Amino acid sequence: MSATSEAIPTTTAGRAPGLLGLASIAAIVVGAALILLLQFIPPTDAISPMRRTISEYALSANKWIFDAAVVLIAAASALLFTLHVLHRSLRAFSPAVVCGALWTVSLLVIVAFPKTDWAVGPSVGGMIHRYASVAGFLCLPVGLLLASRAVFARRTGWLWTARVLSLTSLAWFGVILTGVAVMLTGGGPWWTFVPLGLVERLMAVNELLAIATLAVPLLRSPE
């Protein structure tokens, strides 16, 4: 009787990381699905996915859907990095975890401070939103690159998957920087040089896939 009673909590504890990893993936999937949904329901269906950024959804009556999606992704990200700290694959104050924390905080800041509504004019909140967006888009791939060797120590395939996703995320950001460089050298506005909405959406998909890879080591069966 005592052996059985001891085996139950041990098994449950062994399964907890995998269950939490699955919950994180589910939260990321639901968050991404909600963002995608916004492109198909009014009034946000009128927003151009080619030219308008994802944050444009937050300037509509559907802001609550956008906010819920971003908070879900932030919660999943925080949980994944925390689980790896608890399992000692990452140190609590390592550069990788700091970058993960900055990514998570930046998502919450994006929710708290909507982008500038140019129909009204520039705002302090809009500037905070812009800087948080840049910080988030940079911090996640950098953090994952720093974490990948420790997190995927015995999974070479997933190690390179995480690295490729991180590098391609940075490459998409590089496309935007190219537009800025062209503008500074006498070209037109950087947001017209590239299809900004499309590039941002591709970068976002890249980064969601990247953060989801952190769940892979947690899904292994308990020994």
Side-chain angles (χ1 to χ4, degrees), residues 145-169:
L145 282 172
L146 294 173
S148 59
R149 181 176 294 277
V151 170
F152 303 104
R154 300 179 182 179
R155 294 173 171 80
T156 304
W158 282 106
L159 168 64
W160 284 105
T161 298
R163 286 178 173 177
V164 168
L165 288 170
S166 298
L167 291 172
T168 50
S169 295

Side-chain angles (χ1 to χ4, degrees), residues 128-159:
I128 293 173
H129 178 98
R130 178 179 295 179
Y131 291 132
S133 299
V134 172
F137 279 131
L138 288 176
C139 284
L140 177 62
V142 171
L144 188 57
L145 282 172
L146 294 173
S148 59
R149 181 176 294 277
V151 170
F152 303 104
R154 300 179 182 179
R155 294 173 171 80
T156 304
W158 282 106
L159 168 64

Side-chain angles (χ1 to χ4, degrees), residues 59-154:
L59 300 179
S60 73
N62 290 335
K63 181 182 187 301
W64 69 273
I65 300 177
F66 172 85
D67 290 350
V70 176
V71 169
L72 277 172
I73 293 167
S77 302
L79 178 57
L80 287 170
F81 275 101
T82 300
L83 287 170
H84 282 290
V85 169
L86 292 175
H87 285 79
R88 299 183 180 180
S89 51
L90 294 174
R91 290 181 291 107
F93 297 103
S94 63
V97 172
V98 171
C99 284
L102 289 173
W103 152 259
T104 302
V105 170
S106 73
L107 293 177
L108 299 178
V109 171
I110 286 170
V111 170
F113 297 93
K115 70 166 291 184
T116 299
D117 184 350
W118 292 107
V120 176
S123 64
V124 173
M127 290 297 294
I128 293 173
H129 178 98
R130 178 179 295 179
Y131 291 132
S133 299
V134 172
F137 279 131
L138 288 176
C139 284
L140 177 62
V142 171
L144 188 57
L145 282 172
L146 294 173
S148 59
R149 181 176 294 277
V151 170
F152 303 104
R154 300 179 182 179

Side-chain angles (χ1 to χ4, degrees), residues 2 15 18 37 49 61 76 99-100 104 164 196 217:
S2 61
R15 290 177 178 173
L37 175 66
C99 284
T104 302
V164 168
L196 181 58

Side-chain angles (χ1 to χ4, degrees), residues 174-191 193-194:
V175 172
I176 296 175
L177 291 181
T178 300
V180 174
V182 169
M183 182 182 71
L184 294 176
T185 55
W190 65 270
W191 55 88
F193 176 79
V194 297

